[in-house]
Amino acid sequence: MKSYLAILPAALLLLAAAGCASAKPGEPAEPVCAVRAADVQLGDKLLEALRTHDYDTFAKLWGNQDKKMTPEEFKTSYETIEKQFGEMQSFSYLTELKTPLVQNRIWTVRFERKADQGKETVEQDLLFRLVTGEVDGKLQVLGMGFL
């Protein structure tokens, strides 16, 4: 019992010291998690648009790129992916890679297809990378692709 009482103050001190970092005095606190949440939500919406073959949503999320993806190019892209890996079943945000100036987000994406004989189902996971950054103060997709 005494050993538990000796550990209790150390555990409380550890809990009190852990937590979020605060902004420096005089500087506004930047909601870092809100920026991350926006990036993750953007990636989720892009993947959902691919999964459901929703060109309109995909095009809006893709943003003001120099070269817009046409509906035909979009269709060719998802048909190529489905031919090789199967239908997208699910996706899950995995992590952020530390990179300067841009955000690199990674998801796991599960695909399912029929085996060559059509009797067995084959599941396969791929990684999906979304690169975003601020352009003119606005979050924008800079690149993406399956790894």
Side-chain angles (χ1 to χ4, degrees):
M1 181 72 169
K2 288 182 182 181
S3 63
Y4 288 117
L5 291 175
I7 295 173
L8 184 61
L12 289 174
L13 181 61
L14 180 63
L15 287 173
C20 297
S22 61
K24 294 178 184 174
E27 290 183 13
E30 184 175 317
V32 173
C33 56
V35 173
R36 288 184 180 154
D39 286 355
V40 173
Q41 288 176 6
L42 177 60
D44 286 345
K45 289 175 184 176
L46 280 165
L47 284 166
E48 184 63 19
L50 279 171
R51 191 183 73 75
T52 60
H53 310 153
D54 183 353
Y55 172 77
D56 292 332
T57 299
F58 182 86
K60 287 178 192 170
L61 295 169
W62 181 243
N64 298 322
Q65 303 296 322
D66 291 337
K67 184 180 182 293
K68 288 270 189 195
M69 183 180 280
T70 66
E72 294 77 24
E73 291 170 329
F74 178 76
K75 183 179 180 188
T76 300
S77 291
Y78 73 71
E79 285 177 347
T80 301
I81 291 167
E82 287 181 349
K83 184 177 179 182
Q84 185 171 2
F85 303 111
E87 289 185 28
M88 187 186 305
Q89 298 298 308
S90 61
F91 51 86
S92 178
Y93 175 71
L94 187 60
T95 192
E96 172 187 5
L97 302 177
K98 189 160 198 78
T99 52
L101 303 177
V102 298
Q103 289 76 44
N104 269 287
R105 309 287 182 193
I106 306 292
W107 281 256
T108 56
V109 182
R110 167 95 16 113
F111 291 90
E112 187 177 281
R113 63 180 167 80
K114 294 289 182 190
D116 291 337
Q117 278 36 5
K119 295 179 181 179
E120 288 185 42
T121 300
V122 177
E123 291 184 334
Q124 181 173 358
D125 290 337
L126 293 179
L127 296 176
F128 175 78
R129 181 179 71 151
L130 175 67
V131 181
T132 60
E134 281 198 23
V135 178
D136 298 326
K138 189 175 179 184
L139 180 64
Q140 185 152 349
V141 175
L142 302 176
M144 66 178 144
F146 287 97
L147 308 173

